[in-house]
């Protein structure tokens, strides 16, 4: 018996005697239960993790800054029968830039370098919440003007916790309208209740079809136009083209139809875009002037917090972006953000913003200023604002 016991038999073999034994290995059913429990724990953990974002949108559990807007943005269009955004009953014809011209590669469209200042890659916080919220059509759009300071305005606005914006220019209402609203909405970042979705495409302001198309999306869309002295804007526009195609003719020779008579070539898009009064008119057939905000490109540089104050009021946002967010970078020669969206580092716009302009003949500049004066005065009347360009 002793031999048999020492031969590894169980203590149960010896009635009345309990010998120390190694713990029995769990039966397969118990092992399976333990495995199931572990999986349940993992699943529960993952569920709670992904729920965090949605919970943030729930009243009383707000984690991200909603609620600071005084009024909510208008709701997105009701979905169509197939669950997609409604489409207009016609196929989009190619959009017509009012300012088509002799600049073959650039035209009137904004040709912002294809790397937006703040890429769409979400910050660590927003990627934590990336699965939460929903994509909405924009409730506010920066529609122009090309070279007005539109990128600076959007990057500054993105600092606001209640603003979510797509980084790149979608060009939906001028180039991609036939792709439909579902396509457009899909480009947008996800937003939580109370956050505004925004985009900027400066060529909309000079696109004939854009006012009707934006109004068809929502009559309540808020429109922001950053305007800048049309003379400086034209030179900035030319500077951008020159940076890509150094062999183009001089500004002076492109500007005149006939230099001797002093006749200005208004078909050149660099000139055409600056006739703001003319481009504004069609917008007023679709939107009340109170639904448009005109931001001074000059003041956006000299007093960014002041202009951002006006923009936040217009959007119904709490004034969160203030003087404290900016510093003047002497090397760049422009105001920069102390902290960009989703980052703790100072951030200036890239080298394609704030380029050195070529020297233009003073007499040519004077002639151009004279050309724009009546259009500027008309624009001041239409907007009720004197931008002080004359
Ligand atoms: N903070 C800050 N930093 C850098 N640049 C600034 C800033 N604020 C306004 N600006 C002016 O923005 C001009 C470019 O305008 P846009 O962004 O509208 O250009 S684009 O149409 O999107 O290409 C750009 O024009 P240029 O100076 O001709 O390069 C700037 O003058």
């Amino acid at each position: 018996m002793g031999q048999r016991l020492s031969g590894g038999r169980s203590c149960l073999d010896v009635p009345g005697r309990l010998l120390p034994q190694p713990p029995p290995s769990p039966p397969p059913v118990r092992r399976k239960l333990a495995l199931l429990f572990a999986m349940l724990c993992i699943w529960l953990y993952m569920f709670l993790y992904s729920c965090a974002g949605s919970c943030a949108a729930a009243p009383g559990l707000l984690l991200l800054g909603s609620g600071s807007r005084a009024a909510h943005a208008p709701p997105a269009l009701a979905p169509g029968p197939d669950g997609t955004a409604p489409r207009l009953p016609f196929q989009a014809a190619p959009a017509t830039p009012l300012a088509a011209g002799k600049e073959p590669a650039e035209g009137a469209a904004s040709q912002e370098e294809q790397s937006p200042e703040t890429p769409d890659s979400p910050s660590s916080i927003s990627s934590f919440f990336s699965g939460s919220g929903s994509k909405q059509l924009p409730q506010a759009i920066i529609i122009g003007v090309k070279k007005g300071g539109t990128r600076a305005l959007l990057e500054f606005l993105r600092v606001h916790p209640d603003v979510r914006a797509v980084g790149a220019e979608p060009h939906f209402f001028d180039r991609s309208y036939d792709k439909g609203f579902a396509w457009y909405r899909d480009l947008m970042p996800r937003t939580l209740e109370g956050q505004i979705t925004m985009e900027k495409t400066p060529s909309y302001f000079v696109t004939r079809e854009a006012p009707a198309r934006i109004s068809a999306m929502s009559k309540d869309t808020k429109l922001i136009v950053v305007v800048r002295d049309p003379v400086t804007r034209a030179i900035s526009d030319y500077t951008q083209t020159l940076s890509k195609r150094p062999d183009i003719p001089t500004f002076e020779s492109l500007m005149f139809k006939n230099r001797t008579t002093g006749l200005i070539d208004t078909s050149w898009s660099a000139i055409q875009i600056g006739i703001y009064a003319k481009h504004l008119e069609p917008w007023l057939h679709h939107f009340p002037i109170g639904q448009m905000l005109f931001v001074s490109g000059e003041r956006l540089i000299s007093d960014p917090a002041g202009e951002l104050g006006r923009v936040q009021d217009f959007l119904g946002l709490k004034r969160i972006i203030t003087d404290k967010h900016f510093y003047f970078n002497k090397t760049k020669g422009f105001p920069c953000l102390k902290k960009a969206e989703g980052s703790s580092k100072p951030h200036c716009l890239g080298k394609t913003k704030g380029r050195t302009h070529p020297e233009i003949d003073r007499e040519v500049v004077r002639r151009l200023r004279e050309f724009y004066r009546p259009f500027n005065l008309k624009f001041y009347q239409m907007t009720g604002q004197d931008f002080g360009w004359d």
Side-chain angles (χ1 to χ4, degrees):
M1 175 74 89
Q3 261 180 347
R4 283 179 70 201
L5 273 172
S6 62
R9 301 235 2 221
S10 139
C11 59
L12 295 175
D13 288 347
V14 187
R17 278 184 73 193
L18 283 171
L19 294 176
Q21 292 294 316
S25 57
V29 176
R30 230 189 288 163
R31 222 180 300 148
K32 271 186 195 155
L33 273 173
L35 197 72
L36 212 70
F37 182 70
M39 281 169 70
L40 194 75
C41 286
I42 294 170
W43 178 83
L44 201 68
Y45 172 77
M46 284 169 71
F47 172 77
L48 286 174
Y49 186 87
S50 67
C51 156
S54 341
C55 298
L61 279 174
L62 226 53
L63 295 180
L64 276 182
S66 73
S68 55
R69 273 180 67 206
H72 282 228
L77 284 172
D82 55 353
T84 59
R87 292 173 62 103
L88 290 180
F90 58 86
Q91 271 295 63
T96 328
L98 289 168
K102 64 181 171 194
E103 206 175 291
E106 299 270 306
S110 161
Q111 294 286 328
E112 189 174 43
E113 280 70 9
Q114 279 311 297
S115 59
E117 295 297 328
T118 303
D120 286 330
S121 56
S123 65
S124 49
I125 290 183
S126 49
S127 58
F128 180 83
F129 293 114
S130 61
S132 64
S134 57
K135 295 185 177 200
Q136 304 289 332
L137 289 167
Q139 295 95 24
I141 306 178
I142 300 173
I143 56 170
V145 300
K146 184 185 179 190
K147 306 318 290 179
T150 55
R151 177 54 61 188
L153 178 61
L154 192 72
E155 291 318 305
F156 296 166
L157 266 176
R158 287 174 89 160
V159 171
H160 200 292
D162 289 348
V163 173
R164 300 295 323 275
V166 54
E169 293 176 6
H171 281 278
F172 174 65
F173 294 104
D174 58 343
R175 298 184 195 157
S176 299
Y177 195 60
D178 56 344
K179 294 195 170 119
F181 284 111
W183 177 87
Y184 183 45
R185 183 168 47 198
D186 205 44
L187 298 180
M188 301 299 150
R190 289 178 186 278
T191 44
L192 300 173
E193 182 79 28
Q195 290 183 316
I196 299 180
T197 304
M198 288 191 73
E199 69 120 317
K200 80 115 179 164
T201 303
S203 47
Y204 292 161
F205 189 59
V206 297
T207 299
R208 208 186 298 274
E209 294 85 349
R213 289 175 175 181
I214 296 180
S215 167
M217 174 180 76
S218 168
K219 283 185 172 47
D220 297 325
T221 312
K222 293 187 177 178
L223 307 171
I224 300 176
V225 195
V226 188
V227 285
R228 181 183 186 185
D229 179 349
V231 177
T232 337
R233 199 221 66 81
I235 299 170
S236 169
D237 205 334
Y238 171 79
T239 309
Q240 174 167 299
T241 313
L242 190 67
S243 73
K244 293 176 186 167
R245 299 169 48 207
D247 55 336
I248 57 166
T250 61
F251 183 88
E252 291 83 342
S253 52
L254 287 166
M255 184 185 118
F256 288 110
K257 245 192 181 129
N258 184 329
R259 179 112 197 221
T260 329
T261 59
L263 193 67
I264 289 176
D265 187 351
T266 54
S267 72
W268 183 26
S269 69
I271 301 293
Q272 171 80 201
I273 293 171
I275 309 174
Y276 302 142
K278 182 185 144 202
H279 300 303
L280 176 58
E281 207 142 316
W283 290 93
L284 298 179
H285 295 146
H286 296 271
F287 294 93
I289 191 89
Q291 220 169 295
M292 301 185 78
L293 182 75
F294 301 90
V295 172
S296 157
E298 286 81 16
R299 282 201 296 273
L300 195 58
I301 296 170
S302 63
D303 177 18
E307 280 309 273
L308 264 289
R310 291 182 62 231
V311 178
Q312 289 170 96
D313 290 349
F314 173 72
L315 294 175
L317 294 166
K318 189 174 170 189
R319 283 196 178 206
I320 285 179
I321 308 164
T322 63
D323 271 335
K324 293 192 192 84
H325 288 85
F326 301 100
Y327 75 99
F328 187 81
N329 185 306
K330 280 190 195 148
T331 320
K332 176 87 183 160
F334 283 90
C336 298
L337 285 168
K338 285 186 188 161
K339 287 178 190 176
E341 185 223 8
S343 152
S344 55
K345 291 191 220 139
H347 174 73
C348 292
L349 299 194
K351 58 182 188 310
T352 63
K353 306 291 174 182
R355 292 183 173 109
T356 308
H357 296 174
E359 196 77 32
I360 309 293
D361 186 300
R362 281 178 62 166
E363 184 50 31
V364 171
V365 172
R366 192 199 59 75
R367 174 73 192 93
L368 195 54
R369 207 160 278 294
E370 191 179 76
F371 165 79
Y372 278 124
R373 190 164 298 119
F375 298 113
N376 287 347
L377 290 177
K378 176 94 192 293
F379 184 66
Y380 298 167
Q381 274 173 6
M382 291 169 91
T383 59
Q385 271 176 262
D386 182 341
F387 290 90
W389 298 320
D390 303 282

